[in-house]
Amino acid sequence: MNTKNCMDGYGDEDLVSLTKEGNLNAFTELVRRYQKKVYKTIFHLTRNHHDSDDLAQETFMKAYASIKKFRQKSSFYTWLYRIAVNLTLNFLKKRSRDKKVESFSKVWAWRGEGESALFSPEEYSAGKELRERLKEALDSLPLIYKTSFILVNLQGMSHAQAAEVLRCSEKTVSWRIHKARKMLRERLKSFI
Amino acid sequence: MRCTRIEKLLSDKIDGVLSRRKEKKLESHLLCCQKCRSYLEDLEKLSQVAGELEVGKVEDNYWQSFTSRIKQKVISFRTERRKQTSYSGLRWAWIGASLVFIFLLSISLLHFRPERNREFYAFSYEDTLQLLYQDAGENINLGDLIENAILDSIEHLIFYPEESSLPGMSGLINPWDEFTVEEINLILSGGKKNES
């Protein structure tokens, strides 16, 4: 039976309820829906494929183990992100980041090679340089600013969603992002 | 409005969370402040470039294998949890049963302890019984022997009560209370029934 086909029509809430009743296919569908988003968020924070893979798996396993406690006051997506972000932040606090960082060129890529045709070679080269510097600058941000920036700017969350994930107020998220942008601008001034 | 405050509003504007009132203030400030317009351009550029950052080198089959791995892990997790639950349940059942057994045993020992009556001690007067058993091997007239032993025991109990106090008996007894006049006469006459 194709899990994707038989569960496609269900909403997240239905899938969560089915998972609580012991339906494994329902949970597999939730994994399929959010694995990329969760992985990418973790990757933006760790910049290491193996760590991201481990943490993403841990996120889903933790979600499964505690899904009966999930009261569905927030969306499954927000709840799952909260687990992922907490696990990743704890992981990053425990480990020395420098040891885990892989070479930027190995793990970061630009969104599609085809898009380079939209820019002139000079623009492409300048854009590439800026992206490389942005990765470094992002990495140098305090973790709390970086996380807020990634959730909103890279994952496309609203301030309200990010606030729910980070368990803080929207104003705090707004302030952190402002500070992150200001720091990034200062560090990348000569490349912008 | 100062430029430092405007910078915060510019950040909110990019994220689309600025109120209409603040947006109007911002627009009027931007019209006359080149520095803040430049700041806004830089932030927009940064947001655009940040949006272009992507995770690279993740193959499509990675996501398929990821789902399968999670599914497999969940199955193992469920099996493990079932085992733990059943083991835990069994263990608690054993502990509960043992406690109940110990409790019932204690209760029965406390409340259903066999009561020892005075006659039992009289009959089990050790020396007399020993003699009785010795004689029983040779003498077939057990009826007389037993009757005499009983009467000896009772007589001894009556006349030497301080020597007859046995384990389980609290204090001395007054055996006269327990016998009828006929029985007392019978005892005092040495067990010989009044045939008259």
Side-chain angles (χ1 to χ4, degrees), chain A residues 95-134:
Chain A
R95 288 204 183 178
S96 166
R97 196 169 50 184
D98 291 340
K99 287 180 185 175
K100 290 287 156 189
V101 172
E102 289 181 6
S103 158
F104 284 141
S105 58
K106 284 182 185 171
V107 294
W108 286 85
W110 188 37
R111 187 180 281 169
E113 288 174 10
E115 289 185 38
S116 62
L118 298 172
F119 303 94
S120 68
E122 292 79 17
E123 282 173 332
Y124 176 72
S125 178
K128 194 177 176 185
E129 174 77 6
L130 182 56
R131 280 189 295 278
E132 292 304 317
R133 298 297 172 194
L134 177 60

CSV table of all heavy atoms in Angstrom, one decimal, chain A residues 95-134:
chain,number,residue,atom,x,y,z
A,95,ARG,N,28.5,20.8,22.2
A,95,ARG,CA,29.7,20.5,21.4
A,95,ARG,C,30.4,21.8,20.9
A,95,ARG,O,29.8,22.8,20.7
A,95,ARG,CB,29.2,19.8,20.1
A,95,ARG,CG,28.9,18.3,20.5
A,95,ARG,CD,29.0,17.5,19.3
A,95,ARG,NE,28.6,16.1,19.5
A,95,ARG,CZ,28.6,15.2,18.7
A,95,ARG,NH1,29.0,15.4,17.4
A,95,ARG,NH2,28.2,14.0,19.0
A,96,SER,N,31.6,21.6,20.8
A,96,SER,CA,32.4,22.7,20.3
A,96,SER,C,32.1,22.9,18.8
A,96,SER,O,32.2,21.9,18.0
A,96,SER,CB,33.9,22.4,20.5
A,96,SER,OG,34.6,23.3,19.7
A,97,ARG,N,31.6,24.0,18.4
A,97,ARG,CA,31.1,24.2,17.1
A,97,ARG,C,32.3,24.1,16.0
A,97,ARG,O,32.1,23.5,15.0
A,97,ARG,CB,30.5,25.6,16.9
A,97,ARG,CG,29.6,25.7,15.8
A,97,ARG,CD,28.8,26.9,15.8
A,97,ARG,NE,29.6,28.1,16.1
A,97,ARG,CZ,29.1,29.3,16.3
A,97,ARG,NH1,27.8,29.5,16.2
A,97,ARG,NH2,29.9,30.4,16.6
A,98,ASP,N,33.4,24.6,16.3
A,98,ASP,CA,34.5,24.6,15.3
A,98,ASP,C,34.8,23.2,14.8
A,98,ASP,O,35.2,23.0,13.7
A,98,ASP,CB,35.7,25.2,15.9
A,98,ASP,CG,35.5,26.7,16.1
A,98,ASP,OD1,34.6,27.3,15.5
A,98,ASP,OD2,36.2,27.3,16.9
A,99,LYS,N,34.7,22.2,15.7
A,99,LYS,CA,35.1,20.9,15.4
A,99,LYS,C,34.1,20.2,14.4
A,99,LYS,O,34.4,19.3,13.6
A,99,LYS,CB,35.2,20.0,16.6
A,99,LYS,CG,36.4,20.3,17.5
A,99,LYS,CD,36.4,19.4,18.7
A,99,LYS,CE,37.6,19.8,19.6
A,99,LYS,NZ,37.6,19.0,20.8
A,100,LYS,N,32.9,20.7,14.5
A,100,LYS,CA,31.8,20.1,13.7
A,100,LYS,C,31.6,20.7,12.4
A,100,LYS,O,30.9,20.2,11.5
A,100,LYS,CB,30.5,20.1,14.5
A,100,LYS,CG,30.6,19.2,15.7
A,100,LYS,CD,30.5,17.7,15.2
A,100,LYS,CE,31.0,16.8,16.2
A,100,LYS,NZ,31.2,15.4,15.7
A,101,VAL,N,32.1,21.9,12.2
A,101,VAL,CA,31.9,22.7,11.0
A,101,VAL,C,32.6,22.1,9.8
A,101,VAL,O,33.8,21.9,9.9
A,101,VAL,CB,32.3,24.2,11.2
A,101,VAL,CG1,32.2,24.9,9.9
A,101,VAL,CG2,31.3,24.8,12.2
A,102,GLU,N,31.9,21.8,8.8
A,102,GLU,CA,32.6,21.3,7.6
A,102,GLU,C,32.9,22.4,6.7
A,102,GLU,O,32.4,23.5,6.9
A,102,GLU,CB,31.7,20.3,6.9
A,102,GLU,CG,31.5,19.0,7.6
A,102,GLU,CD,30.6,18.0,6.9
A,102,GLU,OE1,30.2,18.3,5.8
A,102,GLU,OE2,30.3,17.0,7.4
A,103,SER,N,33.7,22.1,5.8
A,103,SER,CA,34.0,23.2,4.8
A,103,SER,C,32.7,23.7,4.2
A,103,SER,O,31.9,23.0,3.8
A,103,SER,CB,34.9,22.6,3.7
A,103,SER,OG,34.9,23.3,2.6
A,104,PHE,N,32.6,25.0,4.1
A,104,PHE,CA,31.4,25.6,3.5
A,104,PHE,C,31.1,25.1,2.1
A,104,PHE,O,30.0,24.8,1.8
A,104,PHE,CB,31.6,27.2,3.4
A,104,PHE,CG,31.5,27.9,4.7
A,104,PHE,CD1,32.3,28.9,5.1
A,104,PHE,CD2,30.5,27.5,5.7
A,104,PHE,CE1,32.2,29.6,6.3
A,104,PHE,CE2,30.4,28.1,6.8
A,104,PHE,CZ,31.2,29.2,7.2
A,105,SER,N,32.2,25.0,1.3
A,105,SER,CA,31.9,24.6,-0.1
A,105,SER,C,31.4,23.2,-0.2
A,105,SER,O,30.7,22.9,-1.2
A,105,SER,CB,33.3,24.7,-0.8
A,105,SER,OG,34.2,23.9,-0.2
A,106,LYS,N,31.6,22.4,0.8
A,106,LYS,CA,31.1,21.0,0.7
A,106,LYS,C,29.6,20.9,1.0
A,106,LYS,O,28.9,20.1,0.4
A,106,LYS,CB,31.9,20.1,1.6
A,106,LYS,CG,33.2,19.8,1.1
A,106,LYS,CD,33.9,18.8,2.1
A,106,LYS,CE,35.3,18.6,1.7
A,106,LYS,NZ,36.0,17.9,2.8
A,107,VAL,N,29.2,21.7,1.9
A,107,VAL,CA,27.8,21.5,2.4
A,107,VAL,C,26.8,22.6,2.0
A,107,VAL,O,25.6,22.4,2.1
A,107,VAL,CB,27.8,21.4,3.9
A,107,VAL,CG1,28.5,20.1,4.3
A,107,VAL,CG2,28.4,22.6,4.6
A,108,TRP,N,27.3,23.7,1.5
A,108,TRP,CA,26.3,24.8,1.1
A,108,TRP,C,26.3,24.8,-0.4
A,108,TRP,O,27.2,24.6,-1.1
A,108,TRP,CB,26.8,26.1,1.6
A,108,TRP,CG,26.5,26.3,3.1
A,108,TRP,CD1,27.4,25.9,4.1
A,108,TRP,CD2,25.4,26.9,3.7
A,108,TRP,NE1,26.8,26.2,5.3
A,108,TRP,CE2,25.6,26.8,5.1
A,108,TRP,CE3,24.2,27.4,3.3
A,108,TRP,CZ2,24.7,27.3,6.0
A,108,TRP,CZ3,23.3,27.9,4.2
A,108,TRP,CH2,23.5,27.8,5.6
A,109,ALA,N,25.1,25.1,-0.8
A,109,ALA,CA,25.0,25.2,-2.3
A,109,ALA,C,24.0,26.3,-2.6
A,109,ALA,O,23.1,26.6,-1.8
A,109,ALA,CB,24.5,23.9,-2.9
A,110,TRP,N,24.1,26.8,-3.7
A,110,TRP,CA,23.2,27.9,-4.1
A,110,TRP,C,21.9,27.2,-4.7
A,110,TRP,O,22.0,26.1,-5.1
A,110,TRP,CB,23.8,28.8,-5.2
A,110,TRP,CG,23.0,30.0,-5.5
A,110,TRP,CD1,22.3,30.8,-4.6
A,110,TRP,CD2,22.9,30.6,-6.7
A,110,TRP,NE1,21.7,31.8,-5.2
A,110,TRP,CE2,22.1,31.7,-6.6
A,110,TRP,CE3,23.4,30.3,-8.0
A,110,TRP,CZ2,21.7,32.5,-7.6
A,110,TRP,CZ3,23.0,31.2,-9.0
A,110,TRP,CH2,22.2,32.3,-8.8
A,111,ARG,N,20.8,27.9,-4.6
A,111,ARG,CA,19.5,27.3,-4.9
A,111,ARG,C,19.5,26.7,-6.3
A,111,ARG,O,18.6,26.2,-6.7
A,111,ARG,CB,18.4,28.3,-4.8
A,111,ARG,CG,17.0,27.6,-4.9
A,111,ARG,CD,16.0,28.6,-4.8
A,111,ARG,NE,15.7,28.9,-3.4
A,111,ARG,CZ,15.0,29.9,-2.9
A,111,ARG,NH1,14.4,30.7,-3.8
A,111,ARG,NH2,14.8,30.1,-1.7
A,112,GLY,N,20.1,26.8,-7.2
A,112,GLY,CA,19.9,26.2,-8.5
A,112,GLY,C,20.9,26.8,-9.4
A,112,GLY,O,21.0,28.0,-9.5
A,113,GLU,N,21.6,25.9,-10.1
A,113,GLU,CA,22.7,26.4,-10.9
A,113,GLU,C,22.1,27.2,-12.1
A,113,GLU,O,22.6,28.1,-12.6
A,113,GLU,CB,23.5,25.2,-11.5
A,113,GLU,CG,24.4,24.7,-10.4
A,113,GLU,CD,25.2,23.5,-10.8
A,113,GLU,OE1,25.1,23.2,-12.0
A,113,GLU,OE2,25.7,22.8,-10.0
A,114,GLY,N,20.8,26.8,-12.5
A,114,GLY,CA,20.2,27.4,-13.6
A,114,GLY,C,19.9,28.9,-13.4
A,114,GLY,O,19.9,29.7,-14.4
A,115,GLU,N,19.8,29.3,-12.2
A,115,GLU,CA,19.5,30.7,-11.9
A,115,GLU,C,20.7,31.6,-12.1
A,115,GLU,O,20.5,32.8,-12.2
A,115,GLU,CB,19.0,30.8,-10.4
A,115,GLU,CG,17.7,30.2,-10.2
A,115,GLU,CD,17.2,30.4,-8.8
A,115,GLU,OE1,17.5,31.5,-8.2
A,115,GLU,OE2,16.6,29.5,-8.2
A,116,SER,N,21.8,31.0,-12.3
A,116,SER,CA,23.0,31.8,-12.5
A,116,SER,C,22.9,32.6,-13.8
A,116,SER,O,23.5,33.6,-14.1
A,116,SER,CB,24.3,31.0,-12.5
A,116,SER,OG,24.2,30.1,-13.5
A,117,ALA,N,22.1,32.0,-14.7
A,117,ALA,CA,21.9,32.6,-16.0
A,117,ALA,C,21.1,34.0,-15.9
A,117,ALA,O,21.2,34.8,-16.9
A,117,ALA,CB,21.1,31.7,-17.0
A,118,LEU,N,20.5,34.2,-14.8
A,118,LEU,CA,19.7,35.5,-14.6
A,118,LEU,C,20.7,36.6,-14.4
A,118,LEU,O,20.3,37.8,-14.5
A,118,LEU,CB,18.7,35.3,-13.5
A,118,LEU,CG,17.6,34.3,-13.6
A,118,LEU,CD1,16.9,34.1,-12.3
A,118,LEU,CD2,16.7,34.7,-14.8
A,119,PHE,N,21.9,36.3,-14.0
A,119,PHE,CA,22.8,37.3,-13.6
A,119,PHE,C,24.0,37.4,-14.6
A,119,PHE,O,24.3,36.4,-15.3
A,119,PHE,CB,23.4,37.1,-12.2
A,119,PHE,CG,22.4,37.0,-11.2
A,119,PHE,CD1,21.9,35.7,-10.8
A,119,PHE,CD2,21.9,38.1,-10.6
A,119,PHE,CE1,20.9,35.7,-9.8
A,119,PHE,CE2,20.9,38.0,-9.6
A,119,PHE,CZ,20.4,36.8,-9.2
A,120,SER,N,24.6,38.5,-14.7
A,120,SER,CA,25.8,38.6,-15.5
A,120,SER,C,26.9,37.9,-14.8
A,120,SER,O,26.8,37.7,-13.6
A,120,SER,CB,26.2,40.1,-15.7
A,120,SER,OG,26.5,40.6,-14.5
A,121,PRO,N,28.0,37.5,-15.4
A,121,PRO,CA,29.1,36.8,-14.7
A,121,PRO,C,29.6,37.7,-13.5
A,121,PRO,O,29.9,37.1,-12.5
A,121,PRO,CB,30.2,36.7,-15.8
A,121,PRO,CG,29.5,36.7,-17.1
A,121,PRO,CD,28.3,37.6,-16.9
A,122,GLU,N,29.7,39.0,-13.7
A,122,GLU,CA,30.2,39.8,-12.6
A,122,GLU,C,29.2,39.8,-11.4
A,122,GLU,O,29.6,39.6,-10.3
A,122,GLU,CB,30.3,41.3,-13.1
A,122,GLU,CG,31.4,41.5,-14.1
A,122,GLU,CD,31.0,41.1,-15.5
A,122,GLU,OE1,29.8,41.0,-15.8
A,122,GLU,OE2,31.9,40.9,-16.3
A,123,GLU,N,27.9,39.9,-11.8
A,123,GLU,CA,26.9,39.9,-10.7
A,123,GLU,C,26.9,38.5,-10.0
A,123,GLU,O,26.8,38.4,-8.8
A,123,GLU,CB,25.5,40.1,-11.3
A,123,GLU,CG,25.2,41.6,-11.6
A,123,GLU,CD,23.9,41.7,-12.4
A,123,GLU,OE1,23.5,40.8,-13.1
A,123,GLU,OE2,23.3,42.8,-12.2
A,124,TYR,N,27.0,37.5,-10.9
A,124,TYR,CA,27.0,36.1,-10.3
A,124,TYR,C,28.1,35.9,-9.3
A,124,TYR,O,28.0,35.4,-8.2
A,124,TYR,CB,27.1,35.1,-11.4
A,124,TYR,CG,27.2,33.7,-10.9
A,124,TYR,CD1,26.0,33.0,-10.3
A,124,TYR,CD2,28.4,33.0,-11.0
A,124,TYR,CE1,26.1,31.8,-9.8
A,124,TYR,CE2,28.4,31.7,-10.5
A,124,TYR,CZ,27.3,31.1,-9.9
A,124,TYR,OH,27.4,29.8,-9.4
A,125,SER,N,29.3,36.4,-9.8
A,125,SER,CA,30.5,36.3,-9.0
A,125,SER,C,30.4,37.1,-7.7
A,125,SER,O,30.7,36.6,-6.6
A,125,SER,CB,31.7,36.8,-9.8
A,125,SER,OG,32.8,36.7,-9.0
A,126,ALA,N,29.8,38.3,-7.8
A,126,ALA,CA,29.6,39.1,-6.6
A,126,ALA,C,28.6,38.5,-5.7
A,126,ALA,O,28.8,38.5,-4.4
A,126,ALA,CB,29.2,40.5,-7.0
A,127,GLY,N,27.5,38.0,-6.3
A,127,GLY,CA,26.5,37.3,-5.5
A,127,GLY,C,27.0,36.1,-4.7
A,127,GLY,O,26.7,35.9,-3.6
A,128,LYS,N,27.9,35.3,-5.4
A,128,LYS,CA,28.4,34.1,-4.8
A,128,LYS,C,29.3,34.5,-3.6
A,128,LYS,O,29.3,33.9,-2.6
A,128,LYS,CB,29.3,33.4,-5.9
A,128,LYS,CG,29.6,32.0,-5.5
A,128,LYS,CD,30.3,31.3,-6.6
A,128,LYS,CE,30.8,29.9,-6.1
A,128,LYS,NZ,31.6,29.3,-7.2
A,129,GLU,N,30.1,35.6,-3.9
A,129,GLU,CA,31.0,36.0,-2.8
A,129,GLU,C,30.2,36.4,-1.6
A,129,GLU,O,30.5,36.1,-0.4
A,129,GLU,CB,31.8,37.2,-3.3
A,129,GLU,CG,32.7,37.9,-2.3
A,129,GLU,CD,34.0,37.2,-2.0
A,129,GLU,OE1,34.2,36.2,-2.7
A,129,GLU,OE2,34.7,37.6,-1.1
A,130,LEU,N,29.1,37.2,-1.8
A,130,LEU,CA,28.2,37.7,-0.7
A,130,LEU,C,27.6,36.5,0.0
A,130,LEU,O,27.5,36.5,1.2
A,130,LEU,CB,27.2,38.6,-1.3
A,130,LEU,CG,26.2,39.2,-0.3
A,130,LEU,CD1,27.0,40.0,0.8
A,130,LEU,CD2,25.2,40.1,-0.9
A,131,ARG,N,27.2,35.5,-0.8
A,131,ARG,CA,26.6,34.3,-0.1
A,131,ARG,C,27.6,33.6,0.8
A,131,ARG,O,27.2,33.2,1.9
A,131,ARG,CB,26.0,33.3,-1.2
A,131,ARG,CG,24.7,33.8,-1.7
A,131,ARG,CD,24.1,32.7,-2.6
A,131,ARG,NE,24.9,32.4,-3.8
A,131,ARG,CZ,24.8,33.1,-4.9
A,131,ARG,NH1,24.0,34.2,-5.0
A,131,ARG,NH2,25.5,32.8,-5.9
A,132,GLU,N,28.8,33.5,0.3
A,132,GLU,CA,29.8,32.8,1.1
A,132,GLU,C,30.1,33.6,2.4
A,132,GLU,O,30.2,33.0,3.5
A,132,GLU,CB,31.1,32.7,0.3
A,132,GLU,CG,31.0,31.7,-0.9
A,132,GLU,CD,30.6,30.3,-0.5
A,132,GLU,OE1,31.1,29.8,0.6
A,132,GLU,OE2,29.7,29.8,-1.1
A,133,ARG,N,30.1,34.9,2.2
A,133,ARG,CA,30.4,35.8,3.4
A,133,ARG,C,29.2,35.7,4.4
A,133,ARG,O,29.4,35.8,5.6
A,133,ARG,CB,30.7,37.2,3.0
A,133,ARG,CG,31.9,37.4,2.1
A,133,ARG,CD,33.2,37.0,2.9
A,133,ARG,NE,34.3,36.9,2.0
A,133,ARG,CZ,35.5,36.4,2.2
A,133,ARG,NH1,35.6,35.7,3.4
A,133,ARG,NH2,36.5,36.4,1.4
A,134,LEU,N,28.0,35.7,3.8
A,134,LEU,CA,26.8,35.6,4.6
A,134,LEU,C,26.8,34.4,5.5
A,134,LEU,O,26.4,34.4,6.7
A,134,LEU,CB,25.6,35.7,3.7
A,134,LEU,CG,24.2,35.6,4.5
A,134,LEU,CD1,24.1,36.7,5.5
A,134,LEU,CD2,23.0,35.6,3.5
